[in-house]
Amino acid sequence: MGRLAPRPLLLALLSLALCRGRVVRVPAGTLVRVVGTELVIPCNVSDYDGPSEQNFDWSFSSSGSSFVELASTWEVGFPAQLYRERLQRGEIQLRRTANDAVELHIKNVQPSDQGHYKCSTPSTDATVQGNYEDTVQVKVLADALHVGPSARPPPSLSLREGEPFELRCVASTASPLHTHLALLWELHRGPSRRNILALTHEGRFHPGPGYEQRYHSGDVRFDTVGSDSYRLLVSRALSADQGSYRCVVSEWIADQGNWQEIQEKAVEVATLVIQPTVLRAAVARNVSVPEGKDLDLSCNITTDRVDEVRAEVTWFFSRTPDGSSPARHVLARLDRDSLLHGSPHVALSHVDARSYHLLVRDVSKENSGYYFCHVALWVPGHNRSWHKVAETMSAPASVGVTWLEPDYQVYLNASKVPGFSDEPTELECRVVDLKNAEANIRFTVSWYYRMNRRSDDVVTSELLAVMDGDWTLRYGERSKQRAQDGEFIFSKEHTDTFNFRIQRTTEEDRGNYYCVVSAWTKQRNNSWVKSKDIFSKPVNIFWVSEDSVLVVKARQPKPFFAAGNTFEMTCKVSAKNIKSPRYSVLITAEKPVGDLSSPNETKYIISLDQDSVVKLENWTDASRVDGVVLEKVQEDEFRYRMYQTQVSDAGLYRCMVTAWSPVGGSLWREAATSLSNPIEIDFQTSGPIFNASVHSDTPSVIRGDLIKLFCIITVEGAVLDPDDMAFDVSWFAVHSFGLDKAPVLLSSLDRKGIVTTARRDWKSDLSLERVSVLEFLLQVHGSEDQDFGNYYCSVTPWVKSPTGSWQREAEIHSKPIFITVKMDVLNAFKYPLLIGVGLSTVIGLLSCLIGYCSSHWCCKKEVQETRRERRRLMSMEMD
């Protein structure tokens, strides 16, 4: 009892995890095993949904009445003394396969292991809910299975591919029970193992993976010889059949309609070695044949096979000596049935059993190359099938076709040589001293250019154009674009004369030119093959060029002027080494040194092109659209005028002149560009100084209130009449706490009183008005949360000059002021509170009305009150 003392506590804990009936199951029927084999009995619990592992106890009884403790999954001291030593040696083991399943393993089964085995699960349930144990019977038989090869030791067979072989295995049993044998043939090659063919215990044949086709064709068969001999027959051996063959025999018994394997034995039967077939193919190494004659090549085969084999011969042709090149193609093929596959110009004949001839009729230069002979040997198999046992490729036979090529020279002549840029160049390439010319020869040309360099420099040639045998002209990278534009013209005047013309020769075109004339020969298939190339001597295209010189001088006829007057500047141009120049002029303006308003900014004002077309460039003063004029006084002199000059026009003015040279027709080429000396406009004035500031009485407002912002202008220095001053005012806002975002234009008021307001995405409105001469008011009506941020104004003053013209002063900016928009908490919650109180009152009154009506009409019931009899209490004394 001491050994089982902790058991009630553990069983009580286990019973807490069980909520419904359980069923313990072991294999049904009787298990049969042979002495020396391994016994495995699985046991599992169905309908188990506990959170942890289920515990199992195993007991054994030789008669089935009294059981002895064998093993337990949770109590070490459970087994009887009889089995503890076997448990310690590992002969008896319990292996858990799941939370609700376990297997009993008994290695090296003995006759004493025959009997009944009971698997049970402990339980402390108050009521029995299922089956907590199950029993299985085990029978132990003596080893009566005999397996062995037909010969000892196992032989080693050496065969050639395609030859037949057979293997035998002897298997018998003397079991007292009715058992069946199953046999499997295996092939072992190193660590790999393949199933060849199996005979199951039910008498069915099953081919292994990869042997299905050979089994169905009858190449691999399995039969019996006598009562105990099993034979494997292979009609033709393959290279994959090499290896060690084993015979695996298993013994099966049927119990209540179920089959169980009671033991298995294997034996090595033989080792098979497949000898490779010797096969060589030889052809002539170097062959020369005149053009137009027949080419005859022999392929001689050598093999050690003397049985019935058939050869399949294929001839290949390739431009390279590499027989495995994908560029090779088949000339002719003679299959194992002596059927020829080829073309009318190619024939393949079978001279004798080991010699095959290739005949190519009327060879041409395109037949020059390398010829290969490929041979494959086939042997007959089962059911009229054929099997390839060997194949080889011969060494290449180098065939050269000799022919009488044409003899000619190439002469290159420069018919037009330019003296300077933009003149045309013409080259003529002619074939001279032509000999051995035939009717099936044509000429094409390739044009090349080589740059002039020092004699010790390596200069590569650049392809300009190449003509193929079908007269297709292809351009090189250097000439492709210019040829498409019509600047390069390639032509063929006669069958032996080719021309190249450069419409407009540039300095980059100077250098050496040469041509290459190719001779092409027509083939039988009407294609053309290049047979010869002849190079001409180079022609040098060069002229001494001087740098183009362009000088522009600007002057001011009236050096002193005041604001409001007309500014005039003339530009005189002189050119050298430029052919028939025409000029285009561009007037530029720069701020003088020390002006920080727009440093290093060049402004393009007006231009006049070489065709005398005037164009306003970046002149943006809408009030003075006609205030600038650029005209051509002479071919080399231009005049620029600016009317009603303003103080903002101060700066440095220049003429940028470009010289253009004519390039055939109406095209022009830029020859040179030059910039004139600057002419400065400087107004020495002591005018007023303007400042701007922003003020607001309401820098912090509640949402919906009015925001007022004043832009106040102050004047320092000279005193001006209010009628002589005008202002362009613009308001900007940066909707952020800092100035890190781009400003947004809100509204603007020009000096003529026209107001422009930008569109916005929220509901607040803007208004801008002039309060006084120097004050401008911006109002934001119905302010929103988005109206917060920094606000500033930008002012451009206009001052009337003594001449009556308005002068635009420099633009000024005020410092920003920050506006805060707050939320009115009372107004924000006023309407929601009123609506809530109103709805609550209505709902309450409606509830009272419904209750009153329900109680008055629906739930009214008459109750008859019974009259109770009045009795007096009895006196305690009477009691």
Side-chain angles (χ1 to χ4, degrees):
M1 293 300 293
R3 176 172 57 86
L4 299 176
R7 196 166 189 175
L9 178 59
L10 294 176
L11 294 178
L13 294 175
L14 289 173
S15 63
L16 295 176
L18 302 176
C19 59
R20 58 187 180 186
R22 296 174 291 172
V23 178
V24 177
R25 290 192 178 94
V26 295
T30 302
L31 300 180
V32 180
R33 291 295 180 270
V34 178
V35 174
T37 61
E38 183 179 6
L39 172 64
V40 179
I41 307 176
C43 178
N44 67 291
V45 179
S46 62
D47 297 332
Y48 174 72
D49 54 0
S52 59
E53 295 179 345
Q54 176 66 48
N55 293 311
F56 295 87
D57 292 338
W58 284 88
S59 303
F60 170 74
S61 174
S62 58
S63 60
S65 58
S66 61
F67 287 86
V68 179
E69 292 84 354
L70 180 61
S72 177
T73 59
W74 64 288
E75 188 175 355
V76 178
F78 178 77
Q81 186 65 33
L82 177 62
Y83 296 104
R84 289 185 180 180
E85 294 182 0
R86 297 183 67 182
L87 285 167
Q88 294 175 357
R89 292 195 302 266
E91 295 181 3
I92 301 177
Q93 294 180 354
L94 286 182
R95 297 179 184 175
R96 183 179 294 278
T97 58
N99 285 346
D100 57 352
V102 71
E103 290 181 350
L104 174 64
H105 289 253
I106 301 178
K107 299 180 180 179
N108 193 16
V109 176
Q110 301 298 322
S112 59
D113 294 325
Q114 178 173 300
H116 298 267
Y117 291 83
K118 181 171 64 176
C119 175
S120 60
T121 59
S123 175
T124 58
D125 297 344
T127 60
V128 176
Q129 300 181 17
N131 178 22
Y132 291 85
E133 62 183 20
D134 197 6
T135 305
V136 63
Q137 182 180 1
V138 176
K139 289 185 178 181
V140 179
L141 304 178
D143 186 4
L145 178 62
H146 171 71
V147 179
S150 59
R152 288 188 179 274
S156 178
L157 304 178
S158 179
L159 301 175
R160 293 190 180 277
E161 194 170 357
E163 294 180 349
F165 69 93
E166 68 175 51
L167 303 174
R168 293 192 181 188
C169 175
V170 177
S172 62
T173 179
S175 175
L177 300 179
H178 182 65
T179 60
H180 290 234
L181 298 182
L183 191 140
L184 169 66
W185 285 98
E186 290 182 343
L187 173 60
H188 291 250
R189 298 185 66 176
S192 64
R193 182 183 66 181
R194 297 180 63 189
N195 294 340
I196 302 174
L197 191 56
L199 175 63
T200 67
H201 54 275
E202 296 177 332
R204 298 176 182 175
F205 289 101
H206 289 292
Y211 287 88
E212 295 89 346
Q213 184 176 359
R214 297 179 68 183
Y215 170 73
H216 293 300
S217 64
D219 186 27
V220 177
R221 292 173 293 161
F222 187 177
D223 60 4
T224 60
V225 180
S227 60
D228 60 352
S229 182
Y230 299 87
R231 181 171 59 177
L232 175 67
L233 298 99
V234 179
S235 60
R236 54 183 179 87
L238 304 180
S239 58
D241 294 334
Q242 179 172 294
S244 176
Y245 286 79
R246 290 169 57 89
C247 175
V248 181
V249 181
S250 57
E251 190 173 7
W252 295 73
I253 189 172
D255 180 28
Q256 298 180 2
N258 296 323
W259 289 93
Q260 55 176 307
E261 181 182 353
I262 60 176
Q263 68 170 326
E264 180 181 285
K265 291 184 178 181
V267 64
E268 183 175 348
V269 177
T271 301
L272 181 63
V273 178
I274 304 299
Q275 298 294 336
T277 299
V278 177
L279 177 63
R280 289 188 294 270
V283 297
R285 301 303 298 271
N286 296 294
V287 179
S288 179
V289 58
E291 186 181 17
K293 302 297 181 179
D294 294 341
L295 171 64
D296 189 359
L297 295 176
S298 297
C299 180
N300 299 317
I301 302 173
T302 303
T303 181
D304 60 347
R305 297 298 292 257
V306 295
D307 53 347
E308 182 185 358
V309 294
R310 292 186 184 180
E312 182 180 75
V313 179
T314 306
W315 281 92
F316 293 93
F317 173 76
S318 176
R319 295 291 182 186
T320 62
D322 185 8
S324 61
S325 173
R328 70 181 187 182
H329 64 274
V330 178
L331 293 177
R333 181 171 65 90
L334 190 66
D335 61 16
R336 61 175 181 266
D337 296 326
S338 297
L339 296 178
L340 177 62
H341 306 271
S343 62
H345 298 285
V346 180
L348 181 58
S349 59
H350 187 186
V351 179
D352 55 37
R354 294 294 183 262
S355 181
Y356 296 83
H357 282 230
L358 173 69
L359 182 66
V360 181
R361 300 182 180 90
D362 189 19
V363 296
S364 61
K365 193 170 181 63
E366 66 178 356
N367 297 123
S368 297
Y370 297 89
Y371 292 76
F372 301 87
C373 176
H374 178 271
V375 181
L377 291 184
W378 296 79
V379 297
H382 186 76
N383 198 15
R384 297 183 180 180
S385 62
W386 290 86
H387 171 63
K388 185 190 295 185
V389 295
E391 61 180 337
T392 186
M393 178 78 78
S394 70
S398 177
V399 176
V401 178
T402 60
W403 67 301
L404 190 61
E405 62 182 15
D407 185 14
Y408 60 95
Q409 299 296 325
V410 177
Y411 175 71
L412 179 62
N413 176 46
S415 56
K416 285 188 179 181
V417 179
F420 48 85
S421 297
D422 300 332
E423 287 192 352
T425 301
E426 282 191 10
L427 302 176
E428 182 184 71
C429 182
R430 290 189 293 112
V431 178
V432 296
D433 300 334
L434 178 60
K435 300 176 183 178
N436 301 326
E438 299 180 3
N440 60 347
I441 290 180
R442 65 170 50 168
F443 296 101
T444 61
V445 70
S446 300
W447 292 95
Y448 291 89
Y449 164 80
R450 186 186 297 122
M451 185 182 297
N452 288 327
R453 293 289 179 88
R454 297 193 305 268
S455 59
D456 56 346
D457 289 345
V458 178
V459 182
T460 58
S461 299
E462 297 183 57
L463 176 67
L464 298 178
V466 58
M467 185 181 295
D468 294 333
D470 56 355
W471 308 119
T472 301
L473 188 65
R474 293 182 288 110
Y475 302 113
E477 291 298 327
R478 179 181 177 85
S479 62
K480 184 176 182 180
Q481 186 60 44
R482 297 181 67 181
Q484 293 175 354
D485 296 339
E487 295 185 15
F488 283 5
I489 300 176
F490 302 91
S491 61
K492 178 177 178 294
E493 298 295 332
H494 304 285
T495 57
D496 58 352
T497 306
F498 306 91
N499 291 82
F500 169 43
R501 177 182 174 90
I502 304 177
Q503 295 287 79
R504 183 176 61 87
T505 310
T506 63
E507 294 184 1
E508 290 78 11
D509 295 329
R510 294 183 297 183
N512 292 315
Y513 293 82
Y514 64 93
C515 63
V516 180
V517 176
S518 304
W520 296 74
T521 305
K522 190 175 183 180
Q523 305 301 309
R524 285 191 304 267
N525 58 357
N526 294 326
S527 64
W528 293 87
V529 176
K530 184 188 296 186
S531 57
K532 193 174 183 179
D533 288 331
I534 298 296
F535 289 69
S536 72
K537 292 183 179 180
V539 171
N540 188 19
I541 302 299
F542 182 78
W543 66 89
V544 178
S545 62
E546 298 181 1
D547 294 336
S548 301
V549 178
L550 185 66
V551 179
V552 183
K553 293 183 179 180
R555 66 184 184 88
Q556 183 180 3
K558 299 178 180 180
F560 302 99
F561 62 96
N565 292 343
T566 300
F567 167 73
E568 181 176 326
M569 177 179 67
T570 61
C571 295
K572 185 73 173 179
V573 184
S574 61
K576 187 178 181 181
N577 300 326
I578 301 177
K579 178 184 177 182
S580 303
R582 281 193 183 181
Y583 306 105
S584 61
V585 182
L586 173 65
I587 304 300
T588 65
E590 302 175 17
K591 290 298 181 180
V593 179
D595 189 348
L596 302 180
S597 61
S598 299
N600 300 327
E601 180 182 355
T602 300
K603 181 179 180 181
Y604 296 161
I605 300 177
I606 190 172
S607 65
L608 183 145
D609 63 10
Q610 65 270 23
D611 295 325
S612 300
V613 177
V614 179
K615 177 184 176 183
L616 284 176
E617 298 293 337
N618 296 333
W619 184 259
T620 57
D621 193 344
S623 62
R624 293 191 298 160
V625 174
D626 299 329
V628 291
V629 176
L630 178 61
E631 56 186 351
K632 183 177 180 180
V633 180
Q634 299 178 4
E635 286 294 331
D636 58 352
E637 186 176 355
F638 302 88
R639 179 168 56 204
Y640 168 67
R641 289 178 178 176
M642 182 167 54
Y643 301 98
Q644 296 183 357
T645 56
Q646 299 181 7
V647 177
S648 60
D649 295 328
L652 302 177
Y653 289 78
R654 288 183 173 90
C655 292
M656 180 184 292
V657 180
T658 301
W660 301 82
S661 294
V663 183
S666 60
L667 300 178
W668 295 89
R669 179 182 64 86
E670 181 179 346
T673 300
S674 181
L675 195 64
S676 71
N677 56 296
I679 300 296
E680 183 177 8
I681 297 180
D682 185 15
F683 300 99
Q684 301 296 333
T685 61
S686 58
I689 300 175
F690 296 92
N691 295 313
S693 61
V694 176
H695 172 72
S696 176
D697 295 332
T698 57
S700 178
V701 299
I702 297 175
R703 187 173 61 183
D705 290 352
L706 177 65
I707 301 176
K708 290 185 177 182
L709 298 169
F710 291 91
C711 181
I712 303 173
I713 303 172
T714 58
V715 184
E716 299 178 1
V719 179
L720 298 176
D721 191 295
D723 295 335
D724 294 339
M725 294 185 298
F727 302 96
D728 292 338
V729 179
S730 299
W731 279 93
F732 295 89
V734 180
H735 296 295
S736 65
F737 291 97
L739 298 175
D740 52 344
K741 293 185 178 180
V744 178
L745 175 64
L746 300 178
S747 183
S748 62
L749 175 67
D750 63 7
R751 60 192 175 101
K752 297 179 181 180
I754 299 175
V755 178
T756 303
T757 303
R759 295 184 60 184
R760 306 198 306 163
D761 296 333
W762 50 91
K763 298 180 179 180
S764 59
D765 295 327
L766 300 174
S767 64
L768 177 59
E769 59 180 322
R770 180 176 177 180
V771 180
S772 64
V773 177
L774 299 178
E775 290 187 6
F776 297 84
L777 172 62
L778 173 69
Q779 300 183 84
V780 182
H781 305 273
S783 59
E784 298 286 343
D785 294 337
Q786 297 90 334
D787 291 320
F788 87 100
N790 293 277
Y791 289 75
Y792 69 92
C793 64
S794 172
V795 180
T796 302
W798 292 81
V799 179
K800 183 182 292 185
S801 66
T803 60
S805 62
W806 287 93
Q807 300 294 319
R808 181 178 181 178
E809 301 292 330
E811 184 179 5
I812 57 177
H813 298 274
S814 69
K815 293 184 178 180
I817 182 172
F818 189 78
I819 301 298
T820 304
V821 179
K822 300 179 181 180
M823 183 179 68
D824 189 352
V825 179
L826 180 59
N827 290 332
F829 290 98
K830 178 172 63 177
Y831 291 106
L833 288 175
L834 291 176
I835 293 172
V837 171
L839 289 176
S840 302
T841 304
V842 170
I843 293 172
L845 294 175
L846 183 61
S847 301
C848 293
L849 180 61
I850 293 172
Y852 172 77
C853 294
S854 300
S855 61
H856 190 270
W857 286 290
C858 298
C859 302
K860 186 177 182 181
K861 182 184 294 186
E862 294 183 1
V863 180
Q864 295 182 359
E865 183 178 354
T866 59
R867 185 176 182 180
R868 295 182 180 178
E869 185 178 358
R870 295 183 178 181
R871 296 179 181 269
R872 293 182 179 180
L873 295 175
M874 296 178 64
S875 176
M876 294 295 294
E877 296 178 359
M878 293 177 65
D879 188 24

